[in-house]
Amino acid sequence: MTPEVKIIDTAVLSDNWYTLRKVTYDYKKRNGTWQRQEREAYDRGNGAVILLYNSAQHTVILTRQFRLPSFINGNEDGMLIEACAGLLDKNNAEDCIRREAEEETGYRITAVKKIFEAYMSPGSVTEILHFFVAAYDGSMKVANGGGLEHEQEEIEVLEISATEAMLMIEDGRIRDGKTIMLLQYAQLHQLL
């Protein structure tokens, strides 16, 4: 059953870093009655994320950086270990993730494989995240990575064994949802 929704009003609450809107809408319930609802939706654009893996060495490339929202919500130092990711910025997802991989990790990847798309926090954020995997080896390293200064990025590049990465999920050192999904995908599909 496809729900019926009528948008009544949309108000911009903030247009600083990204756009936060308050939406008033009527929603037709399964019993046929209409109910007025209000929600806030944060629009930051769509993004892409990639897991770089080396099957021969059984390693992955991850990044570590400060994430203010995690710090505010109890992450003591605010640092998160994550798969390389970025916003699409009008590019298609594959072009975006190739660029982000080189900027953040220093690896110029050749073949990428899109594995799925997902809404990561659909109750409040509009973003669709495009998930990719790609094999890497030492010959693909063209720079140190670390992100772009003008984007205020300070990213540490980590090469971690697949076994260690899975243990890091279990003990809480890796707490980023997109990274956990990609590592589990790699394990399920025997990429490592």
Side-chain angles (χ1 to χ4, degrees):
M1 177 181 127
T2 302
E4 290 184 52
V5 178
K6 296 178 188 172
I7 303 294
I8 305 303
D9 185 51
T10 301
V12 175
L13 301 179
S14 175
D15 194 14
N16 184 14
W17 193 252
Y18 301 109
T19 306
L20 177 62
R21 293 180 178 89
K22 178 180 179 182
V23 180
T24 304
Y25 60 98
D26 289 340
Y27 178 85
K28 189 173 185 181
K29 297 169 66 172
R30 285 184 293 229
N31 67 10
T33 63
W34 286 88
Q35 183 180 54
R36 175 112 347 139
Q37 298 183 6
E38 290 183 336
R39 298 289 186 275
E40 292 177 4
Y42 192 53
D43 184 352
R44 57 184 307 268
N46 295 324
V49 60
I50 191 164
L51 180 68
L52 302 181
Y53 67 92
N54 184 310
S55 296
Q57 293 181 318
H58 302 284
T59 56
V60 294
I61 299 291
L62 299 175
T63 63
R64 185 173 185 263
Q65 63 185 307
F66 179 76
R67 295 299 199 183
L68 177 65
S70 78
F71 179 76
I72 292 169
N73 196 24
N75 183 9
E76 191 172 295
D77 64 3
M79 301 299 283
L80 282 183
I81 296 173
E82 306 174 48
C84 170
L87 294 177
L88 297 189
D89 296 333
K90 299 181 184 176
N91 294 335
N92 71 42
E94 187 173 319
D95 289 344
C96 167
I97 205 57
R98 287 177 186 275
R99 182 189 72 246
E100 289 292 332
E102 189 168 334
E103 289 172 4
E104 291 189 5
T105 71
Y107 286 87
R108 184 173 294 148
I109 51 176
T110 52
V112 300
K113 178 183 176 185
K114 185 170 183 182
I115 53 173
F116 54 81
E117 298 175 4
Y119 290 97
M120 296 302 292
S121 190
S124 59
V125 180
T126 62
E127 177 185 39
I128 294 172
L129 198 54
H130 303 263
F131 286 75
F132 292 88
V133 294
Y136 79 93
D137 64 43
S139 70
M140 296 175 180
K141 189 157 181 70
V142 297
N144 290 330
L148 299 177
E149 181 68 32
H150 74 271
E151 291 183 6
Q152 299 178 324
E153 294 178 319
E154 186 177 54
I155 298 169
E156 180 184 358
V157 181
L158 308 171
E159 186 171 34
I160 300 171
S161 77
T163 302
E164 180 69 11
M166 297 310 290
L167 289 172
M168 292 170 83
I169 293 171
E170 288 181 32
D171 68 21
R173 287 178 287 161
I174 293 179
R175 299 169 61 185
D176 173 64
K178 65 188 179 298
T179 304
I180 293 168
M181 292 166 71
L182 281 168
L183 288 168
Q184 289 177 340
Y185 176 92
Q187 187 175 40
L188 287 171
H189 291 86
Q190 300 174 352
L191 299 181
L192 300 161

